[in-house]
Amino acid sequence: MIYERLYNKIIIHNKTDFNSKHILECGQVFRYKILSIENAFCKISKLNNITNEKFTENLCELIYEVITLDKIAYICEYNEFYIIYCNNNFIDYFINYFDLNSDYSLIKQKLSELNIEILNKAINCCYGVRILNQNPYEVFINFLISSNNNIKRIQLIIEKLCVLCGENKGDYYAFPTLDKLKSLSLNDLRSVGLGYRAEYLYKNLQNSAFNITELNANSDNLKERLLNFYGVGDKVSECILLFGFHKLNYFPTDVWVQKLYNEYFDNSLTDRKLIAKNLVNTFKNLSGYAQQYLFYYKRCFDKC
DNA sequence: TCCCAGGCAAGGC
DNA sequence: GCCTTGCATGGG
């Protein structure tokens, strides 16, 4: 157990299996940002009226804000531990969200036993990555927007979408509900900079069979069902499976994974579907974890 | 100015 | 089935 659950916060004692920067910046999630200490103190104090609690802001090194659906959490990094603050009704929600009941020491050990040099290097750099348990609907929308796009722009578009039609929660805007998104016109969607992806979103939202919130995580043809949605292909569907449904036996393969594969595994193979197949064959039920360590490493640590 | 980004659908064979 | 092309947008 790496955490301690208190009535209005979660304390993470183990900084080798949890790193806020790694978790948030590895590409699985888009609504997060670094807060200044003063701003964070002000926001956190409002959460649960914790005015009588000593918030040791002067010892805090780094604070991230994370928003998922209509909920917000603050991850405060200290020298020896982390504290996650959220509304006290959502403590259990965020324990699950940050996947705190999974043993990442064991996962990393199993992966390192495969003796793949580049993976061990990636795990060494990206040691604090965890696969979040995100809401499938939110992940679906996010990764529909992600295609042929870059992460900075994806974040910007999602934020604009939230400001356009998400509920104003005071300190932040909630992720739009399905009904709110359905009420938008094609031009509304275009106005947030979606480009041609506006039609992907619009067609799905206008489709009465758009039932992403009702998809059964345990149905064995989940990927085929996802592929039926407009704008969802092989790669996007696998991102939804991994990040939205926590299906760890997929290895979403994009330009970055292909670059890494060509550099460290086989430089002649360019078919991403085949690359993904080979990688899943190698990593089996640990594919999703391996994917995040390698993807994040290739994007952010490769030049070091 | 061209190239690129967590790709995909459509059309031609 | 496989291969090619067009696609909105903004940053480097």
Side-chain angles (χ1 to χ4, degrees):
Chain A
M1 190 76 84
I2 70 159
Y3 69 94
E4 183 182 347
R5 181 193 194 290
L6 299 181
Y7 77 100
N8 68 343
K9 63 190 172 191
I10 305 159
I11 301 177
I12 312 281
H13 297 292
N14 177 339
K15 285 186 74 171
T16 61
D17 294 339
F18 184 107
N19 181 289
S20 52
K21 180 182 169 70
H22 296 173
I23 292 168
L24 299 173
E25 298 191 359
C26 70
Q28 60 182 322
V29 63
F30 301 100
R31 297 197 73 195
Y32 63 88
K33 62 183 174 192
I34 293 173
L35 297 183
S36 71
I37 305 290
E38 309 81 59
N39 189 13
F41 176 55
C42 176
K43 288 180 160 189
I44 293 169
S45 299
K46 281 193 271 180
L47 268 180
N48 295 309
N49 293 322
I50 54 172
T51 46
N52 58 350
E53 176 171 346
K54 178 90 177 118
F55 179 81
T56 52
E57 78 266 31
N58 52 339
L59 296 174
C60 193
E61 295 169 358
L62 181 64
I63 303 181
Y64 277 97
E65 168 189 282
V66 195
I67 303 168
T68 166
L69 293 180
D70 57 344
K71 301 169 180 62
I72 192 163
Y74 305 91
I75 313 175
C76 306
E77 180 171 5
Y78 295 86
N79 193 22
E80 307 268 325
F81 52 87
Y82 285 92
I83 298 180
I84 300 172
Y85 289 97
C86 62
N87 183 295
N88 55 29
N89 295 321
F90 302 138
I91 295 282
D92 289 320
Y93 181 93
F94 281 108
I95 286 173
N96 177 58
Y97 181 80
F98 290 109
D99 205 25
L100 296 183
N101 288 315
S102 293
D103 183 351
Y104 280 75
S105 286
L106 186 60
I107 291 160
K108 287 184 282 188
Q109 187 196 324
K110 284 183 183 169
L111 284 172
S112 66
E113 284 168 3
L114 296 172
N115 285 319
I116 296 171
E117 193 181 346
I118 182 59
L119 179 61
N120 288 342
K121 208 168 168 182
I123 291 173
N124 199 39
C125 292
C126 316
Y127 58 88
V129 165
R130 307 177 80 86
I131 308 281
L132 299 172
N133 287 295
Q134 300 186 71
N135 176 273
Y137 155 71
E138 185 172 9
V139 170
F140 181 97
I141 303 294
N142 289 349
F143 280 90
L144 200 61
I145 295 169
S146 77
S147 81
N148 198 25
N149 210 340
N150 63 64
I151 290 179
K152 272 271 182 286
R153 268 198 76 228
I154 298 165
Q155 289 178 316
L156 192 69
I157 291 168
I158 292 170
E159 206 51 41
K160 282 186 182 173
L161 204 54
C162 293
V163 172
L164 179 67
C165 64
E167 186 189 347
N168 185 344
K169 308 285 283 184
D171 282 336
Y172 64 99
Y173 288 90
F175 194 80
T177 62
L178 182 54
D179 283 341
K180 276 284 186 186
L181 283 186
K182 281 185 174 184
S183 72
L184 296 180
S185 69
L186 186 54
N187 277 336
D188 289 336
L189 290 169
R190 288 205 176 110
S191 73
V192 298
L194 279 159
Y196 63 86
R197 302 168 205 82
E199 290 188 27
Y200 291 174
L201 211 46
Y202 187 72
K203 279 198 182 179
N204 284 312
L205 292 166
Q206 295 308 308
N207 176 3
S208 57
F210 181 69
N211 54 357
I212 182 74
T213 55
E214 296 163 18
L215 281 181
N216 184 353
N218 296 318
S219 65
D220 47 0
N221 62 344
L222 193 51
K223 180 166 179 183
E224 289 150 40
R225 291 194 188 203
L226 289 170
L227 289 173
N228 285 333
F229 293 113
Y230 188 67
V232 177
D234 229 60
K235 191 270 174 182
V236 169
S237 69
E238 298 198 356
C239 283
I240 300 168
L241 286 159
L242 174 57
F243 303 129
F245 291 98
H246 217 74
K247 299 295 181 188
L248 296 156
N249 55 329
Y250 288 96
F251 205 114
T253 299
D254 68 334
V255 288
W256 296 100
V257 172
Q258 188 191 333
K259 282 177 196 170
L260 182 133
Y261 188 84
N262 291 149
E263 194 175 343
Y264 296 99
F265 291 83
D266 177 356
N267 63 10
S268 63
L269 192 57
T270 55
D271 183 332
R272 290 188 194 163
K273 205 166 174 174
L274 276 180
I275 291 174
K277 191 180 167 190
N278 289 346
L279 289 165
V280 169
N281 200 33
T282 301
F283 297 109
K284 312 245 169 5
N285 288 333
L286 299 173
S287 294
Y289 300 114
Q291 199 271 1
Q292 280 297 269
Y293 292 119
L294 290 171
F295 171 80
Y296 184 38
Y297 176 82
K298 183 63 188 169
R299 273 196 68 242
C300 301
F301 293 90
D302 204 21
K303 297 185 193 78
C304 303

